[in-house]
Amino acid sequence: MSKEAYEASYDEAFFERRGYNKDIMPKNSSQRNSSAFNFFTLWMGAVHNIPNYTAVGGFLLLGLSPLQVMFSLVISSFLIAMLLVFNGYAGSKYGIPFAMQLRHTYGDAGAKLPGILRGVVAGIGWFGIQTFAGSQALLILMNKLIPGYEDFGNGHTILGITIPALIAFLIFWAINFGIGIGGGETLNKFTAILNPLIYIVFGGMAIWGYMTAGGWHNIMNYDITTKTSGIIYPAILTFILIFNSLLGVWAGPGASVADFTQNAKSTRSQVVGQISGIVVAHLLFAISSVFIIIGGSIALGHQEWNILTIINEWDSIWAILIATGVLLMTTISTNATSNIIPAAYQLTALMPKWINYKRGVMIASILSIVIMPWKMMENQDSIFVFLNAIGAILGPVAGAMIVHFYFISKCKINIDKLYFDLNNKPKDLKRINIPAYIATIVGVVISLLGFIPAFRIIADFSWFIGFISTGVVYILLHLVHESRNKNSNLEERQ
């Protein structure tokens, strides 16, 4: 069925009678309002945030020069952009969200587990952690701006968090909730405001780092103490390790990008917007992160990889306020694009008759408090275990989705079958796509082997290993399945 025929034949009531709410219906032309500029600004905040700046400090400890780290960040941006564009094509072509793209890959029943892992576990868990991390920056500001604020509550704690920290968390949580409940339109307006601020503030901070360090030569030749624990890889493998780390950070958005590309005015809009936006954002990030971190380290007289610590040492309260404020805004943008919106859509897909998008945001936001993310932040190792596990799981999911759409279905989706076979012809519906499931399980198991000390090297390259192994296994299983079908058809004819 052509797009024009579909839009003429079905309305919202038609979908609703079959158990779908408007949030997971395929978007028609009038509902697709995201331009290339919207996609250009969409991910900027997801690049320039507190954890990413801290990660660059970790990359510098791997033994690469500052220039090599900058180069690796730019190359990584092309890989990330390709992941978002290729996996987002199904959304921009057919207007379907991630939940329905999962159903197309894994079958109706099969889509539930990867959907839960992406939306509920990764989305809600990381939303809570990012909100708490951002609230710590807000707490620093509140301590500076409100005399005696840090002593409020006389050191008493509630569920393991001090009262000043809890107030800062709830304030920041409420702001994130407001952006999330507003959905894509609110997010587009927010990122349109944030984008120029990022260029101005982080560009200005990069100039500060350059001037403080005494120029390019001092930054490029800064004596960095490399890490003494863990595996030390040759330079080429270190580059790949950085690529893997950044792809792991983007494992969630890379899998669920259709939630955004379904709103694209055209496929060209999302392709041009995402590639240009991701690459330009990382180009600025590569320069600003290295300049700020090394410039700040030179100013402090010791290696310092926490950007908040560097900012907090500035003399000007206004400079601290502006820089920290923009970092808080980028955290909000990351939370919306990578966490709360995907979580809400997945809750909607799991129970479409009872949960719509806004109810999904409410449920996910409340659960992000219930899990007490400040407890997860008490042990730094537990956070990395959580994030590495999510990356190891979602890399294979993205691999299966891309192989299925491009190699199995040849970039074609039957909207009627995808949405209505469950209601009209249950015997014809593939409840679980066994080859895709087996391939994903193989990829996940191989990736998770990296958590065993003897296989530590796998953990350092888990996203690539999981993505590639799942894709290869899925293609092989599909070829075997096709061969068996041909042989069965020949036997029947004979």
Side-chain angles (χ1 to χ4, degrees), residues 348-392:
T348 295
L350 290 171
M351 292 175 282
K353 291 184 179 180
W354 296 279
I355 300 177
N356 58 23
Y357 173 77
K358 289 188 176 181
R359 289 176 184 170
V361 171
M362 293 177 187
I363 293 170
S365 299
I366 292 171
L367 288 177
S368 72
I369 299 176
V370 172
I371 63 173
M372 295 188 292
W374 50 88
K375 287 290 185 181
M376 299 177 69
M377 294 285 280
E378 287 178 348
N379 185 342
Q380 189 177 36
D381 291 337
S382 66
I383 298 171
F384 284 111
V385 168
F386 170 77
L387 293 177
N388 287 338
I390 294 301

Side-chain angles (χ1 to χ4, degrees), residues 226-276:
T226 58
K227 69 174 185 177
T228 56
S229 60
I231 303 173
I232 303 298
Y233 295 107
I236 184 63
L237 288 181
T238 303
F239 276 111
I240 297 174
L241 187 151
I242 292 176
F243 300 158
N244 182 86
S245 297
L246 290 173
L247 282 166
V249 170
W250 287 83
S256 60
V257 64
D259 283 338
F260 298 97
T261 58
Q262 65 171 333
N263 299 309
K265 289 183 177 180
S266 66
T267 292
R268 183 179 182 278
S269 296
Q270 69 99 351
V271 171
V272 172
Q274 292 202 106
I275 291 177
S276 58

Side-chain angles (χ1 to χ4, degrees), residues 207-219 291 294-296 298-299:
I207 294 172
W208 169 84
Y210 180 88
M211 299 298 292
T212 301
W216 175 269
H217 182 269
N218 289 346
I219 292 175
F291 281 23
I294 294 182
I298 291 174

Side-chain angles (χ1 to χ4, degrees), residues 268-334:
R268 183 179 182 278
S269 296
Q270 69 99 351
V271 171
V272 172
Q274 292 202 106
I275 291 177
S276 58
I278 290 292
V279 173
V280 170
H282 276 85
L283 181 60
L284 173 60
F285 175 65
I287 297 171
S288 62
S289 60
V290 171
F291 281 23
I292 294 167
I293 290 171
I294 294 182
S297 296
I298 291 174
L300 295 176
H302 61 84
Q303 288 185 181
E304 178 56 62
W305 310 127
N306 189 331
I307 190 172
L308 288 177
T309 301
I310 293 173
I311 292 173
N312 201 40
E313 292 296 322
W314 291 350
D315 295 329
S316 171
I317 185 64
W318 286 107
I320 295 173
L321 180 63
I322 293 170
T324 306
V326 172
L327 278 171
L328 288 172
M329 291 176 70
T330 63
T331 302
I332 293 169
S333 176
T334 303

